């Protein structure tokens, strides 16, 4: 039989991703400070069923077991985030060496296992002490972030090659400041563009701090955004206009300033009176060159004009004939290829990583002796990795793929009710069981993607 060919280049990273608050547990261990997510989750009514990250996957204590698990699946990369409040309990100044020690041990264990770490500096959990000062609304927040980033560059820059400033700043803005569904839970069209502005400046300042370090030449830094391609629900002018607004708000709000040095004009319509002028100096800082861009893709959106949808006046139209995941997201692999091509066409030849892609489907809380059979997740992964292969064949410069997620974990305001893991977690005792999808992915990784 001829060997099936692979679209995946040599050196392609095959990984899985997690984030600190979603998996670690022990949020206050070894001198860590309180984070905004710890506080949010402990506020009644904020997270489904009152779930919190107090234990989560207990990864903080089971880290060696989890690294061994990744190795047994043959992964050659792992994307994780650092909990800012473990390193700097008050968010600034005083360093907690024990918090740093956890990430040093994690990175060392990964490297010893032949797994390349990709470190995210900020995946939504902000020290509560900084939140008390306004968090991302405070004009000093970009400096706080750059100082925190510098501490990590100096501590782990000798070992970590791939760095990410922010994970999905759009979600922080939309969930945290516009609609209030995520920490810190505000609802304001005045605050949202200001938080976005400071996040963009924080990103730029951290990249500049990175360049200022005498790190080995192969160290690289990028930004991770979530892209949900928008398609107009009809040819009507108001739907086409709604599509433009939705695309500007979700997909271009961060990438345009970072990669093109300008802000989408449509944001003025979205934020109305909340919109404000940005100086040329600020735009230049946001536009500091980065080495790669990370794309998180889950679904697409068919977008229609909707006057009731505040403040965007645009909303997704559910496609009844399509398959949807447990989070209600339409499964559409072709739109993933469109997304990766769109990033290349709009922003040029910057290298891309798929930093998250995956699906929540129902799995039972306890794995039986026969394990967990998750054919829907396998279908999702097969379709979406096929879409990645199509993008590679179309010439997109893609360097790696990270499945979301390594483990079932705390799905933010959904608590533990949505399972995205390749590996099942029994939240009553922490037991890990690789699902059928983990074995499917491991086989694909062993073949370097051949046959897709
Ligand atoms: C986030 C993850 C989250 C996943 C699924 C992304 O928005 O980066 O933290 O769990 O999507 O919702």
């Amino acid at each position: 039989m001829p060997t099936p060919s692979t679209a995946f280049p040599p050196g392609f990273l095959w990984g899985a991703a997690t984030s600190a608050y979603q998996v670690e547990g022990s949020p206050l261990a070894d001198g860590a400070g309180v984070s905004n997510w710890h506080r949010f989750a402990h506020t009644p009514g904020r997270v489904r069923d009152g779930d919190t990250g107090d234990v989560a996957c207990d990864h903080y204590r089971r880290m060696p077991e989890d690294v061994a698990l990744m190795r047994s699946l043959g992964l050659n990369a792992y994307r994780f985030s650092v909990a800012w409040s473990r390193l700097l309990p008050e968010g600034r100044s005083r360093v907690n060496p024990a918090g740093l020690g956890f990430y040093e041990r994690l990175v060392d264990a990964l490297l010893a296992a032949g797994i390349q770490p990709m470190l995210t500096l900020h995946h939504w959990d902000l020290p509560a002490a900084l939140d008390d000062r306004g968090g991302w609304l405070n004009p000093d927040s970009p400096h706080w972030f750059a100082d925190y980033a510098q501490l990590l560059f100096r501590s782990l820059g000798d070992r970590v090659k791939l760095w990410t400033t922010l994970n999905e700043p759009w979600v922080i803005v939309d969930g945290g400041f516009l609609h209030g569904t995520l920490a810190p839970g505000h609802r304001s069209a005045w605050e949202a563009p200001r938080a976005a502005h400071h996040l963009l400046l924080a990103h730029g300042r951290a990249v500049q701090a990175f360049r200022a370090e005498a790190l080995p030449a192969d160290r690289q830094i990028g930004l991770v955004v979530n892209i949900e391609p928008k398609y107009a629900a009809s040819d009507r002018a108001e739907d086409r206009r709604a599509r433009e607004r939705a695309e500007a708000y979700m997909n271009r709000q961060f990438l345009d300033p970072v990669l093109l040095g300008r802000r989408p004009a449509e944001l003025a319509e979205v934020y109305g009176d909340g919109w404000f002028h940005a100086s040329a100096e600020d735009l230049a800082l946001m536009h500091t060159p980065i080495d790669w861009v990370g794309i998180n893709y889950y679904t697409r959106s068919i977008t229609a004009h909707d006057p009731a949808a505040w403040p965007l006046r645009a909303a997704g139209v559910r496609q009844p004939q399509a398959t949807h995941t447990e989070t209600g997201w339409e499964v559409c692999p072709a739109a993933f290829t469109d997304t990766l091509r769109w990033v290349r066409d709009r922003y040029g030849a910057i290298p891309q990583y798929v930093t998250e892609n995956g699906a929540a489907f129902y799995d039972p809380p306890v794995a039986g002796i026969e394990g967990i059979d998750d054919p829907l997740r396998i279908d999702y992964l097969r379709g979406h990795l096929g879409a990645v292969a199509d993008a590679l064949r179309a010439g997109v410069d893609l360097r790696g793929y990270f499945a979301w997620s390594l483990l079932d974990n705390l799905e933010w305001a959904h608590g533990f009710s949505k399972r995205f893991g390749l590996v099942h977690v029994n939240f009553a005792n922490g037991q890990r069981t690789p699902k059928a999808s983990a074995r499917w992915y491991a086989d694909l990784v062993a073949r370097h993607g051949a046959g897709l």
Side-chain angles (χ1 to χ4, degrees):
M1 241 177 49
T3 320
S5 68
T6 182
F8 296 84
F12 190 84
L13 296 184
W14 296 99
T18 63
S19 88
Y21 191 70
Q22 294 182 274
V23 299
E24 286 178 355
S26 310
L28 305 179
D30 303 326
V34 172
S35 75
N36 63 342
W37 261 96
H38 179 78
R39 196 154 68 180
F40 192 75
H42 280 270
T43 306
R46 288 306 204 171
V47 174
R48 179 164 163 175
D49 301 331
D51 289 341
T52 72
D54 288 4
V55 177
C57 308
D58 203 15
H59 169 74
Y60 188 75
R61 300 193 311 156
R62 291 171 175 255
M63 179 272 284
E65 180 190 340
D66 290 336
V67 174
L69 198 53
M70 289 182 236
R71 185 180 197 168
S72 73
L73 296 175
L75 306 187
N76 64 13
Y78 175 54
R79 173 174 180 252
F80 65 95
S81 77
V82 172
W84 185 339
S85 50
R86 288 197 194 280
L87 265 67
L88 296 160
E90 290 89 31
R92 303 183 306 156
S93 316
R94 188 178 65 86
V95 178
N96 173 34
L100 185 57
F102 171 71
Y103 298 103
E104 294 193 304
R105 289 195 302 281
L106 168 61
V107 166
D108 290 344
L110 290 168
L111 293 174
I115 299 169
Q116 159 112 240
M118 179 188 270
L119 187 156
T120 302
L121 292 164
H122 185 65
H123 197 128
W124 309 356
D125 49 339
L126 189 76
L130 299 182
D131 219 15
D132 291 340
R133 294 165 167 261
W136 295 114
L137 297 173
N138 190 318
D140 288 338
S141 55
H143 296 279
W144 303 336
F145 183 64
D147 289 349
Y148 155 67
Q150 185 193 58
L151 173 64
L152 277 161
F153 300 150
R154 291 190 177 169
S155 315
L156 291 172
D158 58 337
R159 284 159 277 180
V160 174
K161 284 190 195 165
L162 291 172
W163 294 79
T164 300
T165 54
L166 306 170
N167 176 74
E168 300 189 356
W170 176 81
V171 176
I172 300 176
V173 169
D174 185 73
F177 291 91
L178 191 71
H179 294 296
T181 51
L182 303 174
H186 301 185
R187 193 178 152 82
S188 161
W190 187 89
E191 289 187 3
R194 282 158 184 79
H197 191 75
H198 295 140
L199 282 159
L200 281 159
L201 294 176
H203 160 82
R205 284 209 178 280
V207 176
Q208 294 199 344
F210 186 79
R211 304 285 182 223
E213 293 299 312
L215 297 174
D218 62 352
R219 300 314 189 238
Q220 297 200 331
I221 193 158
L223 170 72
V224 168
V225 293
N226 53 312
I227 302 284
E228 188 182 284
K230 310 290 181 187
Y231 303 86
S234 81
D235 270 347
R236 286 180 13 232
E238 57 178 12
D239 286 341
R240 282 192 273 118
R241 197 71 208 128
R243 190 208 81 82
E244 292 294 327
R245 280 195 303 280
E247 184 189 85
Y249 173 61
M250 187 167 179
N251 300 340
R252 296 195 266 114
Q253 180 163 204
F254 290 87
L255 285 186
D256 277 11
V258 170
L259 296 175
L260 303 177
R262 59 173 194 256
R263 305 187 303 173
E266 295 88 345
L267 292 182
E269 268 180 78
V270 174
Y271 290 122
D273 291 345
W275 192 232
F276 62 98
H277 173 76
S279 70
E281 203 187 350
D282 280 356
L283 288 170
L285 180 56
M286 296 169 185
H287 194 203
T288 304
I290 54 174
D291 301 307
W292 53 271
V293 61
I295 305 300
N296 295 351
Y297 172 87
Y298 289 92
T299 189
R300 69 166 177 174
S301 167
I302 306 294
T303 304
H305 180 73
D306 180 354
W310 174 87
L312 201 54
R313 291 174 293 114
V317 182
R318 190 176 162 91
Q319 304 300 295
Q321 80 291 352
T323 305
H324 292 84
T325 69
E326 280 273 298
T327 44
W329 299 339
E330 182 190 345
V331 177
C332 186
F336 192 11
T337 311
D338 283 0
T339 296
L340 300 169
R341 295 177 66 141
W342 175 81
V343 172
R344 188 261 319 265
D345 294 345
R346 182 171 178 83
Y347 299 107
I350 185 160
Q352 298 182 35
Y353 287 90
V354 173
T355 35
E356 284 180 31
N357 172 243
F361 287 111
Y362 174 79
D363 300 307
V366 178
I369 42 164
E370 67 292 349
I372 297 276
D373 202 17
D374 56 343
L376 294 174
R377 192 171 289 101
I378 293 177
D379 281 353
Y380 184 97
L381 291 172
R382 185 186 289 114
H384 287 76
L385 278 150
V388 171
D390 288 345
L392 282 163
R393 289 187 200 102
V396 176
D397 181 3
L398 266 170
R399 307 279 175 100
Y401 173 92
F402 292 81
W404 185 269
S405 174
L406 177 70
L407 302 167
D408 290 338
N409 60 47
L410 182 90
E411 178 52 25
W412 305 112
H414 293 293
F416 298 108
S417 68
K418 308 287 179 232
R419 292 178 178 270
F420 276 89
L422 295 172
V423 175
H424 180 273
V425 177
N426 176 336
F427 292 108
N429 61 14
Q431 193 185 332
R432 277 87 166 121
T433 308
K435 303 178 189 175
S437 57
R439 290 194 296 274
W440 180 89
Y441 186 54
D443 285 350
L444 184 84
V445 171
R447 299 197 304 274
H448 202 64
L452 275 175

